[in-house]
């Protein structure tokens, strides 16, 4: 059953809109069994939500995406958990990851403009007791996101044009 759950998760990760009936047909299983497995994974917080991947560059919405590297002092008996939970509580923050390497946490966030990001870093993030330093990087363009190429190139005919 564990392998079936992994297959269900892989299908959902590629297309969260696939119906339970279609998934059952793909796997040669009963739709009720698929639904029960999904309900169990939701209860166990394996499935944490369903999202839509949007290419915002194709819309008129203006915003800036930033990735912020954060070095922190781990808390006694809680490690990085307490500071990660605190940072995760900010509405602006889209994601928080514990990292291996030259910094401890990676924060992803969106802002209306660079000023919004700057305000968050200087007035909210860097003022937290455990935060030692930050480095902010701005996304200029997304080519691929969550495994999806956002702008597929139209195949060009590379043959040489010959006229009689």
């Amino acid at each position: 059953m564990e392998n079936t759950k992994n297959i269900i998760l892989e299908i959902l990760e590629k297309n969260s809109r696939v119906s339970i009936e279609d998934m059952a047909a793909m796997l040669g299983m009963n739709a009720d069994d698929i639904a029960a497995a999904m309900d169990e994974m939701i209860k166990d917080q394996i499935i944490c939500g369903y999202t839509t991947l949007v290419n915002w560059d194709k819309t008129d919405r203006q915003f800036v995406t930033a990735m912020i590297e954060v070095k922190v002092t781990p808390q006694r008996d809680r490690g990085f958990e307490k500071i990660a939970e605190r940072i995760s509580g900010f509405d602006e923050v889209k994601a928080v990851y514990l990292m291996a390497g030259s910094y401890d946490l990676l924060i992803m966030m969106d802002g209306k403009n660079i000023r919004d990001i700057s305000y968050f870093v200087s007035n909210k993030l860097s003022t937290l007791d455990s935060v030692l330093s930050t480095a902010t990087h701005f996304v200029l363009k997304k080519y691929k996101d969550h495994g999806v190429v956002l702008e597929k190139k139209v195949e060009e005919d590379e043959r040489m044009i010959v006229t009689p």
Side-chain angles (χ1 to χ4, degrees), residues 36-157:
M38 289 176 62
D39 288 343
E40 183 180 333
M41 289 187 283
I42 291 168
K43 182 180 73 78
D44 293 341
Q45 294 183 338
I46 295 169
I47 296 175
C48 300
Y50 300 91
T51 62
T52 300
L53 181 59
V54 177
N55 185 353
W56 289 107
D57 290 343
K58 301 264 185 181
T59 72
D60 61 355
R61 179 176 172 210
Q62 299 293 313
F63 69 97
V64 176
T65 299
M67 292 182 221
I68 307 165
E69 300 172 0
V70 185
K71 290 183 183 179
V72 299
T73 303
Q75 301 288 309
R76 182 179 301 275
D77 299 326
R78 299 267 337 254
F80 297 100
E81 296 297 315
K82 185 174 181 181
I83 188 68
E85 287 172 7
R86 176 83 169 92
I87 293 169
S88 296
F90 290 114
D91 290 336
E92 306 91 317
V93 173
K94 288 175 39 176
V96 178
Y97 302 104
L98 179 62
M99 305 297 290
S102 60
Y103 55 94
D104 303 308
L105 300 173
L106 177 68
I107 299 169
M108 297 190 63
M109 65 173 291
D110 290 335
K112 292 178 192 162
N113 50 46
I114 291 174
R115 202 172 316 119
D116 279 355
I117 305 289
S118 175
Y119 178 84
F120 173 80
V121 172
S122 62
N123 293 316
K124 293 184 177 182
L125 184 60
S126 63
T127 61
L128 298 175
D129 289 338
S130 298
V131 173
L132 300 174
S133 67
T134 65
T136 303
H137 307 275
F138 294 99
V139 174
L140 302 177
K141 181 174 181 170
K142 291 182 183 180
Y143 295 97
K144 187 174 185 178
D145 196 3
H146 290 83
V148 176
V149 176
L150 297 177
E151 292 192 35
K152 294 187 168 101
K153 261 189 153 175
V154 177
E155 292 294 321
E156 294 180 24
D157 190 352

